[in-house]
Amino acid sequence: MPAAGDALARARREPVSAYPLTDDERLLRDLGWAVVMPPLEAQRRQRALAELRRTRILPVDRRRFDKASYVKTLLAEPYRSSAARYARLKDDVVTDTLRIDPFFRVAARVAAADRARGRALDLVPEVQPAERSNSLARIEENGLFIAWVRDSFDERLVSYRYALDRLILATPDRASIEVAGAIDAFEDVLASLRPLGAPRGVFKG
């Protein structure tokens, strides 16, 4: 799939770099994958689409966000206790909150390295056309991936607030207060660290 995805990305005139990933670029993708992949195993369609975007069979920036997918799947799960759904929602929120700092710290390092890479193109003597195109493509790839994860964090925040509202309507429980606090904390951490990420990548074509 990755080889086919690269071919399709080239056909769409998207950047594809032949350079190997740096350690930070690989870590960036490992950390980000847990965020772009929908959290519930039963979100099969959304998870399949995420995999197709990761391998570039589909373009990353062409997707529709379904804020109701998470809670519909959660409500369909045959939990014996309604409180278990609140517990699962809280666990997902807390887990994502803990993912924010590691991802954006690495994103900041990758962005800094890409700025150095861009400066080197003007300073290194005898840069070959293939070297320039691979360097610029990697900068674009990194920027697009960071933007995808940034959007996914924002979408999860929307999904979690929507899910809490739907759970309150379906199965009111005092646990909603604790979950609301966890979601507020998620939003606060995301707002404080999001600026560390690089700006959105823009495909040239």
Side-chain angles (χ1 to χ4, degrees):
M1 287 180 68
D6 285 351
L8 288 170
R10 288 190 180 94
R12 294 191 297 262
R13 301 179 64 83
E14 297 171 1
V16 179
S17 178
Y19 282 157
L21 295 174
T22 67
D23 290 346
D24 273 343
E25 287 169 348
R26 191 174 301 280
L27 179 58
L28 180 83
R29 285 153 176 79
D30 289 343
L31 293 173
W33 178 234
V35 181
V36 300
M37 176 62 74
L40 299 176
E41 291 281 344
Q43 291 178 275
R44 294 182 182 88
R45 181 176 182 275
Q46 288 73 22
R47 291 170 75 90
L49 288 173
E51 174 65 13
L52 290 173
R53 294 180 187 114
R54 182 187 71 84
T55 54
R56 304 186 73 174
I57 299 294
L58 294 177
V60 167
D61 60 347
R62 189 175 298 166
R63 65 190 191 280
R64 296 177 62 186
F65 169 50
D66 180 7
K67 67 180 180 181
S69 171
Y70 175 85
V71 72
K72 285 180 180 178
T73 306
L74 191 62
L75 285 169
E77 289 291 315
Y79 289 107
R80 295 186 63 182
S81 167
S82 59
R85 292 188 178 88
Y86 285 93
R88 175 57 198 258
L89 173 56
K90 182 185 175 185
D91 285 347
D92 287 340
V93 172
V94 171
T95 297
D96 278 348
T97 303
L98 296 175
R99 287 174 172 144
I100 296 171
D101 181 84
F103 175 79
F104 283 111
R105 298 292 175 187
V106 175
R109 296 202 302 267
V110 169
D114 278 341
R115 288 192 293 272
R117 179 183 269 144
R119 290 192 297 269
L121 288 173
D122 296 325
L123 299 174
V124 173
E126 300 179 11
V127 174
Q128 300 301 306
E131 292 175 321
R132 181 173 296 276
S133 64
N134 280 313
S135 294
L136 292 175
R138 178 51 48 78
I139 292 171
E140 291 281 357
E141 287 175 337
N142 289 337
L144 184 69
F145 186 78
I146 291 169
W148 184 19
V149 179
R150 288 175 61 178
D151 288 347
S152 295
F153 271 123
D154 289 335
E155 289 170 357
R156 287 204 177 193
L157 176 61
V158 172
S159 288
Y160 292 149
R161 288 205 183 281
Y162 184 83
L164 178 60
D165 289 343
R166 305 281 82 72
L167 288 183
I168 292 172
L169 291 174
T171 55
D173 194 290
R174 292 182 62 183
S176 62
I177 298 173
E178 193 173 343
V179 176
I183 294 174
D184 287 342
F186 176 48
E187 183 174 21
D188 290 344
V189 175
L190 184 59
S192 68
L193 292 176
R194 188 191 290 110
L196 287 176
R200 177 183 295 278
V202 178
F203 282 151
K204 308 294 184 183

